[in-house]
Amino acid sequence: MFVIDSPIGPLGVSVSGETVVGVHFGARPGAAGSHPAVAQLESYFAGELTDFSVPFEMRGGSEFERAVWGEIAKIPYGEMITYGAIATALGDPGAARAVGTACNHNPIPVIVPCHRVVGAGGKMVGFGGGLDRKRKLLELEARVALARAWG
């Protein structure tokens, strides 16, 4: 596991060869690395990268969780979607809470952007890394998206 410092605290990045298999909040200080995922995360936090290209593999999870993670991966940079909208997209409009649980089990947060999933009406609810981290990630993306849109 490599550890990077970030504006949301240290992140542990687990890899298998060139493939990212985990991102972990609150990692203990450890080895810095030169893996492409480390460089991409650093560029993301610097506001330079809006689309990760590093290969990743979603390991584990139920069929439903994997479907949720697939929907999360489609959310564009700087945008948000509700838990209910994901549940509806998966064919079960009443499964918003189950979507929230699946988001909490996302093994590769930030790269697979579960922070972009919000409650009904845009309410800031739930995040495995804590609401403060979620808010910081959304604020970063909003600043970068506005700066790019307005030149």
Side-chain angles (χ1 to χ4, degrees):
M1 178 168 24
F2 301 111
V3 178
I4 68 164
D5 289 323
S6 79
I8 60 169
L11 291 177
V13 181
S14 298
V15 298
S16 176
E18 292 299 310
T19 304
V20 176
V21 296
V23 174
H24 317 278
F25 296 114
R28 292 193 172 132
S34 61
H35 191 277
V38 171
Q40 286 191 18
L41 283 162
E42 289 171 342
S43 292
Y44 169 83
F45 286 113
E48 300 163 355
L49 180 80
T50 60
D51 190 27
F52 290 96
S53 61
V54 67
F56 62 87
E57 181 182 338
M58 303 298 282
R59 294 184 174 174
S62 67
E63 184 178 331
F64 178 78
E65 287 174 325
R66 295 175 73 74
V68 170
W69 301 336
E71 289 298 312
I72 292 168
K74 297 176 190 175
I75 305 169
Y77 183 92
E79 295 185 22
M80 295 179 290
I81 190 170
T82 64
Y83 296 100
I86 290 176
T88 298
L90 294 175
D92 189 354
R97 286 186 184 201
V99 168
T101 299
C103 287
N104 190 43
H105 294 156
N106 173 8
I108 309 177
V110 184
I111 293 174
V112 177
C114 52
H115 60 277
R116 296 179 190 157
V117 186
V118 296
K123 187 175 179 183
M124 185 76 59
V125 295
F127 187 60
L131 290 181
D132 187 53
R133 284 187 178 110
K134 183 173 187 164
R135 183 174 291 107
K136 286 179 180 178
L137 291 166
L138 292 172
E139 287 172 351
L140 166 70
E141 291 186 10
R143 277 192 310 275
V144 171
L146 282 173
R148 287 178 177 217
W150 293 350

